[in-house]
Amino acid sequence: MIDASIKTRIAIFGVGGFAREVAPLLNPAVDIAFVSDRPEEQGLRVHGRTVLSFEQLISPQENDREVVVAVGSPQARSAIAARCTAAGLAFGQTVAPTHRTLGPCQIGTGAVLCDHSIITSDAKIGHHFHLNIFSYVAHDCIIGNYVTFAPNVCCNGNVRIDDMAYIGAGAIIREGGPGAPLHIGAGAVIGMGAVVTKDVPAGATVVGNPAKPMRTSHR
């Protein structure tokens, strides 16, 4: 976890909107660098900081930085984290001042917990979780690796969400039961504003209220 009272060197991987939202969560004493794989972004100045390439990040001058992967796509985040791990880099956990974790919880490495987000009691959360503004995870939820919660997600108690699922802004996930959690499968996408009342299969995209598989048009 990034201790805001200690001067730390952090690399935020990404320069998109979410990465630029993450940077202000860190204490001003933290030495921040942005990192991008895109040649057209490398060397630019973003919020007064020079954008590094991955090769620069793993150089002896920069490889002491803790990495925060601020990329919304779970698949892209997983690929970036794998490269960082292979290069021997460490990960930081970024916690906004207004985030609250209530009661005992397990939270994996690399989490980004944004302003006004909440995790309540006995939740178990995997690595590189993104919990965006005004979103919450309620009691006894089990959340896998590389899961993204967009803003204003309401995830009620006893829900299981597998790796690389993406939960869209304003989605509501109904509470499961003890020993019978509502289950969202790996790689599933929950559309913006969807109300999830039953299990969602792995890889499915659901939308609407109640949430149903998205229809594809045929011409």
Side-chain angles (χ1 to χ4, degrees):
M1 180 179 294
I2 297 169
D3 186 340
S5 67
I6 299 173
K7 183 175 176 63
T8 310
R9 281 164 55 87
I10 301 298
I12 298 176
F13 211 115
V15 294
F18 187 64
R20 288 180 277 113
E21 289 178 338
V22 168
L25 302 181
L26 301 172
N27 187 287
V30 173
D31 177 2
I32 299 171
F34 289 97
V35 182
S36 175
D37 282 326
R38 298 177 177 176
E40 66 272 19
E41 294 175 340
Q42 295 162 5
L44 296 178
R45 299 282 288 176
V46 174
H47 290 186
R49 301 169 177 96
T50 300
V51 179
L52 306 178
S53 66
F54 183 75
E55 289 71 24
Q56 289 172 311
L57 174 62
I58 63 176
S59 70
Q61 293 78 21
E62 302 290 350
N63 65 7
D64 62 322
R65 293 181 183 272
E66 292 185 339
V67 178
V68 175
V69 186
V71 176
S73 163
Q75 292 75 18
R77 193 153 74 247
S78 172
I80 292 167
R83 289 165 59 205
C84 292
T85 298
L89 301 175
F91 297 104
Q93 185 183 94
T94 306
V95 182
T98 58
H99 167 79
R100 298 189 70 193
T101 295
L102 308 174
C105 297
Q106 298 176 19
I107 303 174
T109 58
V112 178
L113 310 177
C114 295
D115 275 310
H116 308 292
S117 62
I118 300 174
I119 301 173
T120 70
S121 60
D122 300 297
K124 296 179 181 179
I125 296 172
H127 303 302
H128 299 283
F129 175 52
H130 285 181
L131 185 64
N132 223 303
I133 54 175
F134 295 103
S135 291
Y136 71 79
V137 177
H139 64 88
D140 299 300
C141 287
I142 299 175
I143 295 176
N145 302 317
Y146 308 106
V147 172
T148 298
F149 277 25
N152 278 315
V153 170
C154 301
C155 180
N156 293 295
N158 287 301
V159 171
R160 174 184 162 191
I161 302 177
D162 291 344
D163 295 351
M164 297 194 191
Y166 185 95
I167 316 299
I172 300 172
I173 304 173
R174 180 184 64 81
E175 182 173 359
L182 187 148
H183 182 206
I184 295 174
V189 176
I190 309 302
M192 183 182 298
V195 178
V196 180
T197 60
K198 59 180 65 176
D199 292 352
V200 177
T205 297
V206 298
V207 297
N209 179 10
K212 297 179 180 179
M214 186 170 66
R215 295 179 179 178
T216 56
S217 60
H218 299 279
R219 294 185 178 180

PDB file of all heavy atoms in Angstrom, residues 158-162 173-177 179-186 188-190 195-206 210-213:
ATOM      1  N   ASN A 158     -22.635 -11.093  -0.833  1.00  0.00           N
ATOM      2  CA  ASN A 158     -22.642 -12.476  -1.311  1.00  0.00           C
ATOM      3  C   ASN A 158     -22.698 -12.559  -2.840  1.00  0.00           C
ATOM      4  O   ASN A 158     -23.519 -13.278  -3.420  1.00  0.00           O
ATOM      5  CB  ASN A 158     -23.797 -13.267  -0.689  1.00  0.00           C
ATOM      6  CG  ASN A 158     -23.559 -13.594   0.759  1.00  0.00           C
ATOM      7  OD1 ASN A 158     -22.582 -14.255   1.111  1.00  0.00           O
ATOM      8  ND2 ASN A 158     -24.436 -13.112   1.623  1.00  0.00           N
ATOM      9  N   VAL A 159     -21.818 -11.827  -3.487  1.00  0.00           N
ATOM     10  CA  VAL A 159     -21.676 -11.867  -4.938  1.00  0.00           C
ATOM     11  C   VAL A 159     -20.269 -12.370  -5.259  1.00  0.00           C
ATOM     12  O   VAL A 159     -19.297 -11.965  -4.618  1.00  0.00           O
ATOM     13  CB  VAL A 159     -21.903 -10.481  -5.568  1.00  0.00           C
ATOM     14  CG1 VAL A 159     -21.536 -10.473  -7.052  1.00  0.00           C
ATOM     15  CG2 VAL A 159     -23.346 -10.043  -5.378  1.00  0.00           C
ATOM     16  N   ARG A 160     -20.183 -13.251  -6.249  1.00  0.00           N
ATOM     17  CA  ARG A 160     -18.879 -13.728  -6.723  1.00  0.00           C
ATOM     18  C   ARG A 160     -18.671 -13.225  -8.150  1.00  0.00           C
ATOM     19  O   ARG A 160     -19.521 -13.443  -9.017  1.00  0.00           O
ATOM     20  CB  ARG A 160     -18.825 -15.246  -6.692  1.00  0.00           C
ATOM     21  CG  ARG A 160     -17.549 -15.834  -7.305  1.00  0.00           C
ATOM     22  CD  ARG A 160     -17.617 -17.348  -7.320  1.00  0.00           C
ATOM     23  NE  ARG A 160     -16.648 -17.905  -8.251  1.00  0.00           N
ATOM     24  CZ  ARG A 160     -16.619 -19.177  -8.632  1.00  0.00           C
ATOM     25  NH1 ARG A 160     -17.527 -20.024  -8.154  1.00  0.00           N
ATOM     26  NH2 ARG A 160     -15.717 -19.604  -9.481  1.00  0.00           N
ATOM     27  N   ILE A 161     -17.553 -12.551  -8.371  1.00  0.00           N
ATOM     28  CA  ILE A 161     -17.223 -12.022  -9.693  1.00  0.00           C
ATOM     29  C   ILE A 161     -15.857 -12.572 -10.090  1.00  0.00           C
ATOM     30  O   ILE A 161     -14.863 -12.360  -9.387  1.00  0.00           O
ATOM     31  CB  ILE A 161     -17.204 -10.484  -9.695  1.00  0.00           C
ATOM     32  CG1 ILE A 161     -18.574  -9.933  -9.247  1.00  0.00           C
ATOM     33  CG2 ILE A 161     -16.841  -9.956 -11.077  1.00  0.00           C
ATOM     34  CD1 ILE A 161     -18.627  -8.424  -9.146  1.00  0.00           C
ATOM     35  N   ASP A 162     -15.799 -13.283 -11.194  1.00  0.00           N
ATOM     36  CA  ASP A 162     -14.561 -13.944 -11.603  1.00  0.00           C
ATOM     37  C   ASP A 162     -13.638 -12.985 -12.362  1.00  0.00           C
ATOM     38  O   ASP A 162     -14.005 -11.851 -12.694  1.00  0.00           O
ATOM     39  CB  ASP A 162     -14.881 -15.172 -12.448  1.00  0.00           C
ATOM     40  CG  ASP A 162     -15.540 -16.284 -11.639  1.00  0.00           C
ATOM     41  OD1 ASP A 162     -15.476 -16.240 -10.393  1.00  0.00           O
ATOM     42  OD2 ASP A 162     -16.130 -17.201 -12.253  1.00  0.00           O
ATOM     43  N   ILE A 173     -25.965  -4.898  -8.753  1.00  0.00           N
ATOM     44  CA  ILE A 173     -25.886  -6.353  -8.693  1.00  0.00           C
ATOM     45  C   ILE A 173     -26.618  -6.811  -7.437  1.00  0.00           C
ATOM     46  O   ILE A 173     -26.277  -6.429  -6.317  1.00  0.00           O
ATOM     47  CB  ILE A 173     -24.422  -6.826  -8.669  1.00  0.00           C
ATOM     48  CG1 ILE A 173     -23.670  -6.264  -9.883  1.00  0.00           C
ATOM     49  CG2 ILE A 173     -24.358  -8.350  -8.656  1.00  0.00           C
ATOM     50  CD1 ILE A 173     -22.188  -6.524  -9.862  1.00  0.00           C
ATOM     51  N   ARG A 174     -27.645  -7.630  -7.649  1.00  0.00           N
ATOM     52  CA  ARG A 174     -28.488  -8.107  -6.541  1.00  0.00           C
ATOM     53  C   ARG A 174     -27.680  -8.954  -5.569  1.00  0.00           C
ATOM     54  O   ARG A 174     -26.739  -9.652  -5.945  1.00  0.00           O
ATOM     55  CB  ARG A 174     -29.649  -8.932  -7.101  1.00  0.00           C
ATOM     56  CG  ARG A 174     -30.604  -9.496  -6.034  1.00  0.00           C
ATOM     57  CD  ARG A 174     -31.660 -10.386  -6.656  1.00  0.00           C
ATOM     58  NE  ARG A 174     -31.103 -11.566  -7.284  1.00  0.00           N
ATOM     59  CZ  ARG A 174     -30.738 -12.686  -6.648  1.00  0.00           C
ATOM     60  NH1 ARG A 174     -30.849 -12.758  -5.323  1.00  0.00           N
ATOM     61  NH2 ARG A 174     -30.267 -13.728  -7.309  1.00  0.00           N
ATOM     62  N   GLU A 175     -28.087  -8.920  -4.322  1.00  0.00           N
ATOM     63  CA  GLU A 175     -27.435  -9.710  -3.287  1.00  0.00           C
ATOM     64  C   GLU A 175     -27.688 -11.200  -3.487  1.00  0.00           C
ATOM     65  O   GLU A 175     -28.812 -11.622  -3.815  1.00  0.00           O
ATOM     66  CB  GLU A 175     -27.938  -9.287  -1.904  1.00  0.00           C
ATOM     67  CG  GLU A 175     -27.280 -10.018  -0.754  1.00  0.00           C
ATOM     68  CD  GLU A 175     -27.682  -9.452   0.593  1.00  0.00           C
ATOM     69  OE1 GLU A 175     -28.454  -8.475   0.625  1.00  0.00           O
ATOM     70  OE2 GLU A 175     -27.223  -9.990   1.613  1.00  0.00           O
ATOM     71  N   GLY A 176     -26.643 -12.000  -3.293  1.00  0.00           N
ATOM     72  CA  GLY A 176     -26.784 -13.454  -3.268  1.00  0.00           C
ATOM     73  C   GLY A 176     -27.088 -13.929  -1.855  1.00  0.00           C
ATOM     74  O   GLY A 176     -27.343 -13.128  -0.947  1.00  0.00           O
ATOM     75  N   GLY A 177     -27.061 -15.230  -1.667  1.00  0.00           N
ATOM     76  CA  GLY A 177     -27.338 -15.793  -0.350  1.00  0.00           C
ATOM     77  C   GLY A 177     -26.111 -16.480   0.214  1.00  0.00           C
ATOM     78  O   GLY A 177     -25.205 -16.875  -0.524  1.00  0.00           O
ATOM     79  N   GLY A 179     -23.667 -19.110   1.003  1.00  0.00           N
ATOM     80  CA  GLY A 179     -23.472 -20.406   0.365  1.00  0.00           C
ATOM     81  C   GLY A 179     -24.038 -20.499  -1.034  1.00  0.00           C
ATOM     82  O   GLY A 179     -23.863 -21.515  -1.715  1.00  0.00           O
ATOM     83  N   ALA A 180     -24.724 -19.467  -1.495  1.00  0.00           N
ATOM     84  CA  ALA A 180     -25.309 -19.462  -2.844  1.00  0.00           C
ATOM     85  C   ALA A 180     -25.158 -18.075  -3.448  1.00  0.00           C
ATOM     86  O   ALA A 180     -26.138 -17.376  -3.704  1.00  0.00           O
ATOM     87  CB  ALA A 180     -26.783 -19.867  -2.794  1.00  0.00           C
ATOM     88  N   PRO A 181     -23.923 -17.645  -3.686  1.00  0.00           N
ATOM     89  CA  PRO A 181     -23.717 -16.281  -4.189  1.00  0.00           C
ATOM     90  C   PRO A 181     -24.225 -16.104  -5.602  1.00  0.00           C
ATOM     91  O   PRO A 181     -24.243 -17.048  -6.397  1.00  0.00           O
ATOM     92  CB  PRO A 181     -22.187 -16.140  -4.143  1.00  0.00           C
ATOM     93  CG  PRO A 181     -21.674 -17.533  -4.290  1.00  0.00           C
ATOM     94  CD  PRO A 181     -22.668 -18.391  -3.566  1.00  0.00           C
ATOM     95  N   LEU A 182     -24.648 -14.883  -5.915  1.00  0.00           N
ATOM     96  CA  LEU A 182     -24.900 -14.551  -7.304  1.00  0.00           C
ATOM     97  C   LEU A 182     -23.543 -14.548  -8.006  1.00  0.00           C
ATOM     98  O   LEU A 182     -22.575 -13.986  -7.488  1.00  0.00           O
ATOM     99  CB  LEU A 182     -25.572 -13.197  -7.407  1.00  0.00           C
ATOM    100  CG  LEU A 182     -26.062 -12.780  -8.806  1.00  0.00           C
ATOM    101  CD1 LEU A 182     -27.311 -11.917  -8.698  1.00  0.00           C
ATOM    102  CD2 LEU A 182     -24.987 -12.035  -9.574  1.00  0.00           C
ATOM    103  N   HIS A 183     -23.461 -15.148  -9.199  1.00  0.00           N
ATOM    104  CA  HIS A 183     -22.169 -15.413  -9.833  1.00  0.00           C
ATOM    105  C   HIS A 183     -22.077 -14.713 -11.189  1.00  0.00           C
ATOM    106  O   HIS A 183     -22.930 -14.906 -12.054  1.00  0.00           O
ATOM    107  CB  HIS A 183     -21.989 -16.926 -10.012  1.00  0.00           C
ATOM    108  CG  HIS A 183     -20.677 -17.305 -10.620  1.00  0.00           C
ATOM    109  ND1 HIS A 183     -20.506 -18.466 -11.338  1.00  0.00           N
ATOM    110  CD2 HIS A 183     -19.468 -16.673 -10.639  1.00  0.00           C
ATOM    111  CE1 HIS A 183     -19.258 -18.544 -11.753  1.00  0.00           C
ATOM    112  NE2 HIS A 183     -18.613 -17.468 -11.347  1.00  0.00           N
ATOM    113  N   ILE A 184     -21.029 -13.910 -11.356  1.00  0.00           N
ATOM    114  CA  ILE A 184     -20.713 -13.283 -12.644  1.00  0.00           C
ATOM    115  C   ILE A 184     -19.415 -13.911 -13.137  1.00  0.00           C
ATOM    116  O   ILE A 184     -18.381 -13.846 -12.477  1.00  0.00           O
ATOM    117  CB  ILE A 184     -20.569 -11.759 -12.491  1.00  0.00           C
ATOM    118  CG1 ILE A 184     -21.919 -11.151 -12.080  1.00  0.00           C
ATOM    119  CG2 ILE A 184     -20.080 -11.125 -13.792  1.00  0.00           C
ATOM    120  CD1 ILE A 184     -21.867  -9.678 -11.765  1.00  0.00           C
ATOM    121  N   GLY A 185     -19.487 -14.551 -14.306  1.00  0.00           N
ATOM    122  CA  GLY A 185     -18.376 -15.344 -14.797  1.00  0.00           C
ATOM    123  C   GLY A 185     -17.216 -14.531 -15.337  1.00  0.00           C
ATOM    124  O   GLY A 185     -17.307 -13.312 -15.559  1.00  0.00           O
ATOM    125  N   ALA A 186     -16.118 -15.217 -15.578  1.00  0.00           N
ATOM    126  CA  ALA A 186     -14.887 -14.580 -16.042  1.00  0.00           C
ATOM    127  C   ALA A 186     -15.105 -13.873 -17.373  1.00  0.00           C
ATOM    128  O   ALA A 186     -15.740 -14.406 -18.283  1.00  0.00           O
ATOM    129  CB  ALA A 186     -13.790 -15.622 -16.186  1.00  0.00           C
ATOM    130  N   ALA A 188     -16.990 -11.512 -18.194  1.00  0.00           N
ATOM    131  CA  ALA A 188     -18.327 -10.983 -18.481  1.00  0.00           C
ATOM    132  C   ALA A 188     -18.302  -9.456 -18.468  1.00  0.00           C
ATOM    133  O   ALA A 188     -17.470  -8.830 -17.804  1.00  0.00           O
ATOM    134  CB  ALA A 188     -19.333 -11.494 -17.455  1.00  0.00           C
ATOM    135  N   VAL A 189     -19.231  -8.852 -19.211  1.00  0.00           N
ATOM    136  CA  VAL A 189     -19.387  -7.398 -19.253  1.00  0.00           C
ATOM    137  C   VAL A 189     -20.814  -7.065 -18.824  1.00  0.00           C
ATOM    138  O   VAL A 189     -21.780  -7.559 -19.436  1.00  0.00           O
ATOM    139  CB  VAL A 189     -19.114  -6.835 -20.654  1.00  0.00           C
ATOM    140  CG1 VAL A 189     -19.386  -5.329 -20.690  1.00  0.00           C
ATOM    141  CG2 VAL A 189     -17.671  -7.125 -21.088  1.00  0.00           C
ATOM    142  N   ILE A 190     -20.930  -6.248 -17.791  1.00  0.00           N
ATOM    143  CA  ILE A 190     -22.232  -5.786 -17.307  1.00  0.00           C
ATOM    144  C   ILE A 190     -22.410  -4.358 -17.833  1.00  0.00           C
ATOM    145  O   ILE A 190     -21.617  -3.473 -17.521  1.00  0.00           O
ATOM    146  CB  ILE A 190     -22.305  -5.803 -15.774  1.00  0.00           C
ATOM    147  CG1 ILE A 190     -21.867  -7.165 -15.222  1.00  0.00           C
ATOM    148  CG2 ILE A 190     -23.710  -5.435 -15.320  1.00  0.00           C
ATOM    149  CD1 ILE A 190     -22.661  -8.340 -15.729  1.00  0.00           C
ATOM    150  N   VAL A 195     -29.285  -3.928 -14.273  1.00  0.00           N
ATOM    151  CA  VAL A 195     -29.681  -4.448 -12.962  1.00  0.00           C
ATOM    152  C   VAL A 195     -29.575  -5.967 -13.040  1.00  0.00           C
ATOM    153  O   VAL A 195     -30.377  -6.628 -13.711  1.00  0.00           O
ATOM    154  CB  VAL A 195     -31.104  -4.012 -12.589  1.00  0.00           C
ATOM    155  CG1 VAL A 195     -31.507  -4.614 -11.242  1.00  0.00           C
ATOM    156  CG2 VAL A 195     -31.197  -2.487 -12.538  1.00  0.00           C
ATOM    157  N   VAL A 196     -28.564  -6.520 -12.370  1.00  0.00           N
ATOM    158  CA  VAL A 196     -28.261  -7.953 -12.466  1.00  0.00           C
ATOM    159  C   VAL A 196     -29.003  -8.684 -11.364  1.00  0.00           C
ATOM    160  O   VAL A 196     -28.746  -8.479 -10.177  1.00  0.00           O
ATOM    161  CB  VAL A 196     -26.746  -8.196 -12.363  1.00  0.00           C
ATOM    162  CG1 VAL A 196     -26.433  -9.691 -12.464  1.00  0.00           C
ATOM    163  CG2 VAL A 196     -26.007  -7.422 -13.455  1.00  0.00           C
ATOM    164  N   THR A 197     -29.934  -9.550 -11.762  1.00  0.00           N
ATOM    165  CA  THR A 197     -30.753 -10.277 -10.791  1.00  0.00           C
ATOM    166  C   THR A 197     -30.485 -11.773 -10.791  1.00  0.00           C
ATOM    167  O   THR A 197     -31.026 -12.491  -9.953  1.00  0.00           O
ATOM    168  CB  THR A 197     -32.249 -10.053 -11.084  1.00  0.00           C
ATOM    169  OG1 THR A 197     -32.544 -10.530 -12.407  1.00  0.00           O
ATOM    170  CG2 THR A 197     -32.614  -8.583 -10.970  1.00  0.00           C
ATOM    171  N   LYS A 198     -29.658 -12.249 -11.734  1.00  0.00           N
ATOM    172  CA  LYS A 198     -29.344 -13.677 -11.793  1.00  0.00           C
ATOM    173  C   LYS A 198     -27.918 -13.860 -12.317  1.00  0.00           C
ATOM    174  O   LYS A 198     -27.294 -12.897 -12.778  1.00  0.00           O
ATOM    175  CB  LYS A 198     -30.333 -14.407 -12.689  1.00  0.00           C
ATOM    176  CG  LYS A 198     -30.393 -13.901 -14.123  1.00  0.00           C
ATOM    177  CD  LYS A 198     -31.411 -14.676 -14.961  1.00  0.00           C
ATOM    178  CE  LYS A 198     -32.826 -14.468 -14.452  1.00  0.00           C
ATOM    179  NZ  LYS A 198     -33.830 -15.137 -15.325  1.00  0.00           N
ATOM    180  N   ASP A 199     -27.427 -15.077 -12.250  1.00  0.00           N
ATOM    181  CA  ASP A 199     -26.058 -15.366 -12.670  1.00  0.00           C
ATOM    182  C   ASP A 199     -25.814 -14.931 -14.117  1.00  0.00           C
ATOM    183  O   ASP A 199     -26.715 -14.985 -14.964  1.00  0.00           O
ATOM    184  CB  ASP A 199     -25.758 -16.861 -12.554  1.00  0.00           C
ATOM    185  CG  ASP A 199     -25.725 -17.352 -11.110  1.00  0.00           C
ATOM    186  OD1 ASP A 199     -25.790 -16.519 -10.185  1.00  0.00           O
ATOM    187  OD2 ASP A 199     -25.638 -18.577 -10.917  1.00  0.00           O
ATOM    188  N   VAL A 200     -24.567 -14.533 -14.399  1.00  0.00           N
ATOM    189  CA  VAL A 200     -24.148 -14.132 -15.738  1.00  0.00           C
ATOM    190  C   VAL A 200     -23.033 -15.074 -16.179  1.00  0.00           C
ATOM    191  O   VAL A 200     -22.013 -15.187 -15.492  1.00  0.00           O
ATOM    192  CB  VAL A 200     -23.644 -12.672 -15.755  1.00  0.00           C
ATOM    193  CG1 VAL A 200     -23.146 -12.297 -17.147  1.00  0.00           C
ATOM    194  CG2 VAL A 200     -24.754 -11.720 -15.307  1.00  0.00           C
ATOM    195  N   PRO A 201     -23.182 -15.760 -17.315  1.00  0.00           N
ATOM    196  CA  PRO A 201     -22.150 -16.711 -17.741  1.00  0.00           C
ATOM    197  C   PRO A 201     -20.844 -16.025 -18.101  1.00  0.00           C
ATOM    198  O   PRO A 201     -20.813 -14.837 -18.446  1.00  0.00           O
ATOM    199  CB  PRO A 201     -22.770 -17.369 -18.992  1.00  0.00           C
ATOM    200  CG  PRO A 201     -24.225 -17.057 -18.930  1.00  0.00           C
ATOM    201  CD  PRO A 201     -24.347 -15.759 -18.210  1.00  0.00           C
ATOM    202  N   ALA A 202     -19.774 -16.782 -18.062  1.00  0.00           N
ATOM    203  CA  ALA A 202     -18.462 -16.270 -18.461  1.00  0.00           C
ATOM    204  C   ALA A 202     -18.512 -15.752 -19.893  1.00  0.00           C
ATOM    205  O   ALA A 202     -19.106 -16.376 -20.773  1.00  0.00           O
ATOM    206  CB  ALA A 202     -17.419 -17.379 -18.347  1.00  0.00           C
ATOM    207  N   GLY A 203     -17.922 -14.589 -20.119  1.00  0.00           N
ATOM    208  CA  GLY A 203     -17.825 -14.020 -21.452  1.00  0.00           C
ATOM    209  C   GLY A 203     -19.066 -13.348 -21.984  1.00  0.00           C
ATOM    210  O   GLY A 203     -19.042 -12.771 -23.077  1.00  0.00           O
ATOM    211  N   ALA A 204     -20.159 -13.393 -21.236  1.00  0.00           N
ATOM    212  CA  ALA A 204     -21.418 -12.809 -21.712  1.00  0.00           C
ATOM    213  C   ALA A 204     -21.424 -11.297 -21.499  1.00  0.00           C
ATOM    214  O   ALA A 204     -20.766 -10.762 -20.604  1.00  0.00           O
ATOM    215  CB  ALA A 204     -22.600 -13.430 -20.981  1.00  0.00           C
ATOM    216  N   THR A 205     -22.201 -10.595 -22.329  1.00  0.00           N
ATOM    217  CA  THR A 205     -22.479  -9.174 -22.138  1.00  0.00           C
ATOM    218  C   THR A 205     -23.963  -9.027 -21.873  1.00  0.00           C
ATOM    219  O   THR A 205     -24.794  -9.493 -22.676  1.00  0.00           O
ATOM    220  CB  THR A 205     -22.089  -8.355 -23.380  1.00  0.00           C
ATOM    221  OG1 THR A 205     -20.676  -8.449 -23.591  1.00  0.00           O
ATOM    222  CG2 THR A 205     -22.465  -6.888 -23.198  1.00  0.00           C
ATOM    223  N   VAL A 206     -24.311  -8.405 -20.739  1.00  0.00           N
ATOM    224  CA  VAL A 206     -25.718  -8.245 -20.389  1.00  0.00           C
ATOM    225  C   VAL A 206     -26.024  -6.765 -20.211  1.00  0.00           C
ATOM    226  O   VAL A 206     -25.182  -5.981 -19.757  1.00  0.00           O
ATOM    227  CB  VAL A 206     -26.093  -9.041 -19.123  1.00  0.00           C
ATOM    228  CG1 VAL A 206     -25.890 -10.532 -19.338  1.00  0.00           C
ATOM    229  CG2 VAL A 206     -25.313  -8.568 -17.911  1.00  0.00           C
ATOM    230  N   PRO A 210     -34.557  -6.098 -16.044  1.00  0.00           N
ATOM    231  CA  PRO A 210     -33.412  -6.849 -15.523  1.00  0.00           C
ATOM    232  C   PRO A 210     -32.402  -7.138 -16.631  1.00  0.00           C
ATOM    233  O   PRO A 210     -32.759  -7.156 -17.814  1.00  0.00           O
ATOM    234  CB  PRO A 210     -34.047  -8.128 -14.991  1.00  0.00           C
ATOM    235  CG  PRO A 210     -35.251  -8.327 -15.866  1.00  0.00           C
ATOM    236  CD  PRO A 210     -35.775  -6.941 -16.139  1.00  0.00           C
ATOM    237  N   ALA A 211     -31.163  -7.368 -16.255  1.00  0.00           N
ATOM    238  CA  ALA A 211     -30.099  -7.561 -17.233  1.00  0.00           C
ATOM    239  C   ALA A 211     -30.320  -8.845 -18.039  1.00  0.00           C
ATOM    240  O   ALA A 211     -30.606  -9.905 -17.478  1.00  0.00           O
ATOM    241  CB  ALA A 211     -28.753  -7.608 -16.527  1.00  0.00           C
ATOM    242  N   LYS A 212     -30.193  -8.702 -19.355  1.00  0.00           N
ATOM    243  CA  LYS A 212     -30.325  -9.837 -20.261  1.00  0.00           C
ATOM    244  C   LYS A 212     -29.200  -9.778 -21.287  1.00  0.00           C
ATOM    245  O   LYS A 212     -28.618  -8.715 -21.521  1.00  0.00           O
ATOM    246  CB  LYS A 212     -31.684  -9.792 -20.969  1.00  0.00           C
ATOM    247  CG  LYS A 212     -32.867  -9.928 -20.032  1.00  0.00           C
ATOM    248  CD  LYS A 212     -34.181  -9.855 -20.801  1.00  0.00           C
ATOM    249  CE  LYS A 212     -35.374  -9.983 -19.849  1.00  0.00           C
ATOM    250  NZ  LYS A 212     -36.667  -9.893 -20.581  1.00  0.00           N
ATOM    251  N   PRO A 213     -28.894 -10.918 -21.913  1.00  0.00           N
ATOM    252  CA  PRO A 213     -27.823 -10.905 -22.935  1.00  0.00           C
ATOM    253  C   PRO A 213     -28.107  -9.874 -24.023  1.00  0.00           C
ATOM    254  O   PRO A 213     -29.253  -9.714 -24.477  1.00  0.00           O
ATOM    255  CB  PRO A 213     -27.856 -12.333 -23.493  1.00  0.00           C
ATOM    256  CG  PRO A 213     -28.407 -13.146 -22.368  1.00  0.00           C
ATOM    257  CD  PRO A 213     -29.415 -12.269 -21.685  1.00  0.00           C
TER     258      PRO A 213
END
